[in-house]
Amino acid sequence: MARAATTSDAFNAVAEPRRRDILSYLATEERSVTEIVDLMEIEQPSVSKHLKVLKGVGLVEARREGRQMLYKTNPIAIRPLHEWTRTFERLWRHQLLRIKEQAEANNAQK
Amino acid sequence: MARAATTSDAFNAVAEPRRRDILSYLATEERSVTEIVDLMEIEQPSVSKHLKVLKGVGLVEARREGRQMLYKTNPIAIRPLHEWTRTFERLWRHQLLRIKEQAEANNAQK
DNA sequence: TTGACATATTCCTATATGAGAATATATTGA
DNA sequence: TCAATATATTCTCATATAGGAATATGTCAA
């Protein structure tokens, strides 16, 4: 079997760095494809393809306005990723605490 | 160009669902490869390969004990993913609030 | 040293990718 | 209808994957 499709879920879709960039660009405001192309340094067809993937998993929404397509991030679709990472939060906090305690112990010793 | 390597960063490594399962299994306790194999329903070589990817990006740590290799999740390596998703948190909260307000407005109307 | 157990690696294959190039489709205004 | 603008799709290619099968490596105990 090959790797899961980029469109299989949000995890796969955001694995591509360009797509994360796009999500950030579109987080607070709608933008046309051309605007995204100008912001990033990749060709228009690539941007359209990335947008298609993001739309396929619900990470962006699109709306036509005249000749333009206006895209914006659908932040709620990022929530499942956040929730998954959050299940580890308690653990890394604990880890950081131990690192800090260790450092203080070393300090006290000298 | 092809897709970025699974080992290129944590985002790519956790795109594979099996690897997320493994990270959860190893979150709170060390386990041997065989234990992971028994828990999941995939072959031992596949588990070893997934572990190699996870180790490559620092998501797990390994330690030998006799014939066994004991793996555990390194939770701190998940933090960058959490931080990235967190940049959208304010936005989806706002989105949820608007949905709620809309529902209440509809309720009051009838 | 040998056998048994535990894990890792190699080889294979079907499949999907991301970028670039070229082209197609959609929308508007004249 | 036609030209111009905006976006999407198709094609090609080099590359990497995940799993299965087979095998290699590592470690211990006798």
Side-chain angles (χ1 to χ4, degrees), chain B residues 43-61:
Chain B
E43 302 295 322
Q44 176 267 315
S46 288
V47 171
S48 283
K49 280 181 256 182
H50 283 314
L51 287 168
K52 187 177 185 179
V53 171
L54 292 172
K55 196 174 171 207
V57 297
L59 279 166
V60 299
E61 287 169 354

Side-chain angles (χ1 to χ4, degrees), chain A residues 25-64:
Chain A
Y25 285 147
L26 304 179
T28 53
E29 47 183 333
E30 271 186 339
R31 289 188 196 271
S32 70
V33 176
T34 303
E35 283 175 312
I36 302 170
V37 170
D38 292 345
L39 280 170
M40 309 182 64
E41 298 203 331
I42 57 182
E43 301 296 322
Q44 176 267 314
S46 287
V47 171
S48 282
K49 281 181 257 183
H50 283 314
L51 288 169
K52 188 178 184 177
V53 171
L54 292 171
K55 197 175 171 207
V57 297
L59 280 166
V60 300
E61 288 170 353
R63 158 174 94 81
R64 181 172 281 284

Side-chain angles (χ1 to χ4, degrees), chain A residues 19-29 73, chain B residues 84 87-88:
Chain A
R19 286 197 284 267
R20 290 200 298 281
D21 291 343
I22 291 177
L23 288 174
S24 296
Y25 285 147
L26 304 179
T28 53
E29 47 183 333
T73 298
Chain B
W84 182 78
T87 63
F88 298 90

Side-chain angles (χ1 to χ4, degrees), chain B residues 29-48:
Chain B
E29 47 184 332
E30 271 185 340
R31 290 188 196 272
S32 70
V33 177
T34 302
E35 284 175 311
I36 303 170
V37 170
D38 291 345
L39 280 170
M40 309 183 65
E41 299 203 331
I42 57 182
E43 302 295 322
Q44 176 267 315
S46 288
V47 171
S48 283

Side-chain angles (χ1 to χ4, degrees), chain B residues 98-110:
Chain B
R98 279 187 54 192
I99 290 166
K100 192 183 167 196
E101 285 170 353
Q102 192 61 46
E104 285 168 355
N106 285 345
N107 242 348
Q109 200 179 356
K110 58 168 189 193

